[in-house]
């Protein structure tokens, strides 16, 4: 899920956000890392956000 901070509008995926804002403006916001919050481990196509899948998982012994 993607949340646009100034308006509080929520999007289920990047496609919805790009349609709403326009592709160029959406990519600008994503590149500048502001006004957007990614939840549920959504990964950026520009690979600028932390990849949580690469962090080691705790193992119970």
């Amino acid at each position: 899920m993607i949340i646009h901070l100034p308006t509080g509008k929520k999007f289920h995926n990047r496609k919805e956000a790009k349609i709403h804002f326009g592709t160029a403006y959406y990519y600008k916001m994503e590149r500048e890392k502001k006004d957007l919050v990614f939840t549920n481990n959504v990964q950026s196509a520009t690979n600028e956000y932390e990849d949580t899948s690469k962090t080691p998982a705790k193992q119970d012994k």
Side-chain angles (χ1 to χ4, degrees):
M1 180 176 288
I2 301 169
I3 302 171
H4 184 242
L5 294 175
T7 62
K9 185 152 177 72
K10 296 179 182 179
F11 302 98
H12 288 82
N13 54 40
R14 295 174 69 237
K15 183 177 180 180
E16 288 180 9
K18 285 193 297 185
I19 290 170
H20 180 77
F21 293 114
T23 304
Y25 183 64
Y26 173 80
Y27 283 134
K28 179 182 176 187
M29 286 191 294
E30 190 177 76
R31 188 173 53 249
E32 293 175 355
K33 297 182 185 179
K34 61 182 191 180
D35 296 339
L36 296 176
V37 173
F38 293 85
T39 61
N40 298 335
N41 297 330
V42 175
Q43 297 301 314
S44 168
T46 56
N47 295 323
E48 293 178 354
Y49 297 94
E50 180 181 351
D51 186 0
T52 57
S53 66
K54 292 182 182 177
T55 57
K58 290 185 177 180
Q59 296 178 352
D60 296 329
K61 291 185 179 181

